[in-house]
Amino acid sequence: MGNDGHTASLFPHAKGLDSAINDRDSICAAITANKSEVTGEHIDRMTLTLNGIKKSRVIKLLLTGEDKLETYKQALAGTDIDSMPIRAVLQQKETPVIVYWAA
């Protein structure tokens, strides 16, 4: 998870994000992210869809640093998936999510 709330290459407000989150058949999708410090120059990405991520037996989210812990708390407190795609992973009920945090 990035400080912007992205996970995999599911970036906030990206072109193709809605499809990658809601497609119940595909495992991967094309995304065009908005250029940012996080994406760098490479905004055209291939990523797992939420459906693909949920095919895991368990989802493990590793967070390091106080900034990522704060982002995680913000993700838990809100519901807008477009602004923080990690919320789609955290809000789904099909696959267990285990979160590890290290300072």
Side-chain angles (χ1 to χ4, degrees), residues 74-86:
Q74 290 174 16
L76 290 176
T79 58
D80 182 9
I81 291 170
D82 196 48
S83 66
M84 291 186 90
I86 187 63

Side-chain angles (χ1 to χ4, degrees), residues 40-52:
E41 297 294 320
H42 305 287
I43 60 171
D44 293 319
R45 307 282 184 103
M46 182 65 78
T47 186
L48 286 172
T49 60
L50 179 59
N51 178 55

Side-chain angles (χ1 to χ4, degrees), residues 24 51 54 56-57 91-96:
R24 305 228 188 280
N51 178 55
K54 293 188 308 184
S56 302
R57 281 184 250 158
Q91 292 171 7
Q92 59 80 33
K93 303 292 185 212
E94 297 164 47
T95 306

Side-chain angles (χ1 to χ4, degrees), residues 1-11 38 60-76 84-87 89-90 99-101:
M1 180 192 75
N3 289 341
D4 61 351
H6 86 273
T7 189
S9 281
L10 300 170
F11 286 98
V38 177
K60 296 182 180 182
L61 182 62
L62 172 63
L63 310 173
T64 56
E66 294 291 333
D67 54 340
K68 296 275 180 79
L69 181 60
E70 185 58 34
T71 301
Y72 174 68
K73 289 177 182 179
Q74 290 174 16
L76 290 176
M84 291 186 90
I86 187 63
R87 289 177 174 147
V89 175
L90 297 172
V99 180
Y100 297 94
W101 175 72

